Amino acid sequence: MKNAIRQILQLPAVATALALLAPAQAQTWPSKPVRMVASFPPGTPGDLIARLIQPALQAAWKQPVIVENKPGAGGNIAAGEVAQARDEHTLLVGPDTVLTINPHLYKKLGFDLRQSLKPVTYFASFNQMLVCNPASGVNTLARFTQLPAGNTYASGGPGTPSHMAMEMLLAATGTRQTHVPYKGPGPAAQDVLAGHVGCGFIVSSVVLPHVQSSRLLAVAVSSKERSVLLPAVPTVAESGHAGFDATFFETLMAPASLPAAVTEKIQRDVRAALMAPAIKARLAEMDLRVEAGTPQESEKRSREDFAKWGMIARQTQLQLD
């Protein structure tokens, strides 16, 4: 039977019809409103990017684009909804950690994140900024690593970029601190500002205004390169831990069943929206660097970071369910 099917598919007429089908799918998509389900609260980078490019996508697709926030469980609530929707018009917006970190931390989801979802494109890269309340007296990474083991640090939630960047840092420095998770980077930053928690590794776009106003001290950034908005703040690697790189990506994801031609169309349209000068400038103001790579480039990066964060999860023996 398999041989017979293979022979049929090799017939010139059938091969031609299949070759024409994929472009036709892309030409007719979307046929109804498109939902972009954001996995973190309003005001977080992915949510902001989705809303910034929403008008351009509506114009390109000639359909309404609806951004909905479904935060919780490190992005898994939104991811589960999109994965189980199996709908060509339902997409997921969130950090790449949904595909690169969560599969290592959540073993009882009832579905396989990496089998159910795929990256369409990486919107933009972003880093975490290690910030401390001025009253803490911590203004260098060396001073931070000297804090006692009972010291607490704030993050945007279990398994989020801020949590994992800090776990990576603690593993690299051989130190331990107590994790205080919050429901998003905004509340985490507020408690560091209030002095309830001394420090936190928090997404730079959220803490940037507080650093610029001197209400928070910026100690280091998690990525390989310094922030162009705060060039005086060193990277963790420059602060004595060579090779440290905790760069993250706000990502557009889709059900794995989304046809390749449609996936590529979405990526091209998203890239065009992100490359508009006004959008690029607005993202730069939030310390976000536009990426907008192809689905193939995004999948390659996802595989590499999945392996990297798997090693960190094993080293720290971290599991969240």
Side-chain angles (χ1 to χ4, degrees):
M1 176 63 76
K2 289 182 179 180
N3 289 335
I5 293 173
R6 189 177 298 113
Q7 289 171 356
I8 291 171
L9 292 176
Q10 288 172 347
L11 292 174
V14 174
T16 300
L18 291 175
L20 294 173
L21 178 60
Q25 288 175 316
Q27 289 170 5
T28 59
W29 188 96
S31 59
K32 64 179 185 178
V34 177
R35 292 175 65 225
M36 298 178 74
V37 183
S39 58
F40 280 81
T44 48
D47 168 77
L48 291 172
I49 294 172
R51 295 181 191 279
L52 279 172
I53 64 175
Q54 185 181 25
L57 295 181
Q58 289 183 148
W61 295 342
K62 297 179 174 57
Q63 289 283 353
V65 175
I66 303 158
V67 181
E68 299 179 15
N69 297 87
K70 296 289 182 72
N76 289 334
I77 291 176
E81 180 169 329
V82 174
Q84 294 166 28
R86 301 187 180 279
D87 180 356
E88 293 180 0
H89 295 77
T90 302
L91 305 174
L92 176 65
V93 173
D96 60 319
T97 54
V98 169
L99 294 178
T100 61
I101 290 177
N102 289 11
H104 298 295
L105 305 186
Y106 298 91
K107 304 296 186 181
K108 302 175 183 178
L109 286 177
F111 67 99
D112 188 316
L113 285 162
R114 291 189 63 80
Q115 291 296 319
S116 302
L117 296 165
K118 64 180 179 181
V120 175
T121 190
Y122 283 4
F123 286 141
S125 60
F126 65 98
N127 60 50
Q128 307 299 301
M129 189 171 291
L130 179 57
V131 294
C132 297
N133 187 289
S136 70
V138 176
N139 57 5
T140 66
L141 187 59
R143 176 72 185 92
F144 176 79
T145 60
Q146 292 168 1
L147 292 172
N151 190 67
T152 57
Y153 75 88
S155 88
T160 60
S162 56
H163 178 205
M164 296 307 294
M166 183 65 86
E167 288 297 329
M168 188 174 180
L169 176 62
L170 295 176
T173 58
T175 56
R176 294 307 310 164
Q177 295 193 25
T178 301
H179 179 210
V180 181
Y182 290 83
K183 294 182 178 180
Q190 288 301 316
D191 259 20
V192 178
L193 281 165
H196 301 312
V197 183
C199 301
F201 227 156
I202 304 171
V203 61
S204 60
S205 60
V206 169
V207 297
L208 184 65
H210 307 307
V211 173
Q212 292 171 327
S213 66
S214 300
R215 296 179 66 202
L216 289 176
L217 296 176
V219 176
V221 295
S222 66
S223 56
K224 290 188 295 185
E225 300 174 354
R226 295 190 182 199
S227 165
V228 296
L229 299 180
L230 291 171
V233 181
T235 66
V236 171
E238 291 174 326
S239 301
H241 302 283
F244 187 98
D245 178 20
T247 301
F248 299 94
F249 301 86
E250 286 298 343
T251 308
L252 182 65
M253 293 161 274
S257 59
L258 188 70
V262 176
T263 303
E264 290 165 4
K265 170 184 170 55
I266 295 172
Q267 183 270 330
R268 290 193 300 268
D269 292 341
V270 167
R271 179 180 176 81
L274 289 171
M275 289 300 176
I279 298 296
K280 286 189 72 174
R282 181 70 184 96
L283 295 180
E285 291 172 0
M286 297 187 289
D287 206 20
L288 297 167
R289 300 183 183 187
V290 171
E291 299 285 336
T294 66
Q296 294 77 19
E297 291 168 338
S298 301
E299 176 58 36
K300 180 176 182 293
R301 167 74 74 167
S302 178
R303 288 196 305 270
E304 292 171 350
D305 284 351
F306 173 74
K308 178 179 81 174
W309 289 111
M311 181 178 66
I312 298 298
R314 289 190 294 274
Q315 285 179 347
T316 58
Q317 298 182 329
L318 188 61
Q319 189 170 331
L320 299 179
D321 63 9

